[in-house]
């Protein structure tokens, strides 16, 4: 995905989490980062320098496709979740508009997938980003990579399109921070 010629460099929001800070789950029931999903990825992302994040997750038996190997859709989900976490550094609400994924090598069960992502450009409501997933360590061989286009939206996107029971539950949370974070990252 190539940003348009008039795209600008991303600017980290002054209130963004500090480099090295664990971002935590934006929503307890998110399949990618939430602790409330028994078979979820439980992906942990940390703010990096500039508009970058790092993340990792361990491929478990519930994540397999072919015998002993991670399912490609699960790997794409890990990339998408990591890329979505970048929007916390911009302090915008955005959803995935397009995700182009390349599967470079198989990822065996029990493997820790080390992910790095960065925003490369912004053009109006469009946010361009890229990510890579490595096995065997943060400098290990590339297993998966992706380019993404996120679209900035208003919170009404979730309220108007989400299932009413979950929207009401999230809106009724007495913890103001959790209530607002539930709607920060792509669904």
């Amino acid at each position: 995905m190539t940003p348009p010629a008039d795209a600008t460099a991303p600017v980290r929001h002054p209130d963004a989490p500090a480099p090295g800070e664990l971002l935590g789950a934006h929503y307890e029931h998110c399949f990618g980062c939430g602790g409330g999903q028994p078979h979820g990825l439980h992906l942990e992302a940390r703010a990096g320098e500039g508009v970058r994040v790092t993340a990792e997750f361990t491929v478990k038996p519930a994540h397999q496709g072919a015998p002993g190997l991670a399912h490609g859709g699960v790997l794409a989900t890990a990339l998408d979740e990591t890329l979505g976490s970048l929007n916390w550094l911009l302090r915008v609400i955005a959803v995935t508009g397009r995700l182009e994924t390349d599967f470079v090598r198989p990822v065996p069960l029990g493997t820790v997938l080390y992910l790095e992502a960065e925003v490369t450009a912004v053009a109006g409501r469009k946010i361009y980003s890229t990510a890579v997933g490595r096995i065997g360590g943060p400098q290990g061989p590339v297993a998966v990579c992706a380019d993404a286009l996120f679209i900035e939206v208003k919170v009404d996107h979730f309220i108007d399109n989400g299932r009413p029971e979950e929207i009401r539950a999230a809106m009724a949370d007495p913890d103001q921070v959790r209530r607002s974070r539930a709607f920060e990252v792509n669904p």
Side-chain angles (χ1 to χ4, degrees):
M1 266 171 272
T2 305
D6 63 344
T8 60
V11 177
R12 183 188 187 102
H13 193 279
D15 296 330
E21 187 174 329
L22 185 64
L23 298 178
H26 72 96
Y27 180 54
E28 179 69 12
H29 301 289
C30 174
F31 181 79
C33 65
Q37 290 288 344
H39 299 297
L41 304 184
H42 304 148
L43 187 132
E44 293 186 347
R46 290 190 180 278
E49 296 293 332
V51 190
R52 296 172 183 250
V53 298
T54 60
E56 58 184 62
F57 92 97
T58 301
V59 180
K60 297 181 181 159
H63 304 141
Q64 72 184 304
L69 297 173
H71 189 287
V74 169
L75 297 175
T77 300
L79 288 163
D80 186 46
E81 186 69 28
T82 303
L83 289 157
S85 296
L86 289 165
N87 297 313
W88 291 357
L89 303 180
L90 299 173
R91 298 293 292 227
V92 299
I93 301 170
V95 297
T96 310
R98 184 178 182 114
L99 179 68
E100 294 178 1
T101 306
D102 293 316
F103 301 94
V104 180
R105 64 176 26 94
V107 179
L109 295 183
T111 298
V112 176
L113 187 65
Y114 297 89
L115 299 131
E116 297 176 58
E118 71 175 308
V119 176
T120 58
V122 176
R125 295 176 44 223
K126 296 179 179 180
I127 302 163
Y128 296 85
S129 53
T130 189
V132 64
R134 299 173 183 274
I135 57 176
Q139 303 304 315
V142 173
V144 292
C145 51
D147 291 314
L149 170 64
F150 280 77
I151 308 297
E152 186 175 349
V153 297
K154 302 293 184 202
V155 73
D156 291 348
H157 168 86
F158 301 97
I159 294 169
D160 294 344
N161 296 294
R163 199 165 75 161
E165 302 88 77
E166 278 80 9
I167 298 297
R168 280 194 297 274
M171 297 295 277
D173 191 327
D175 184 314
Q176 184 177 2
V177 173
R178 276 197 316 252
R179 186 172 57 241
S180 63
R181 287 190 71 192
F183 302 100
E184 282 184 347
V185 179
N186 59 305

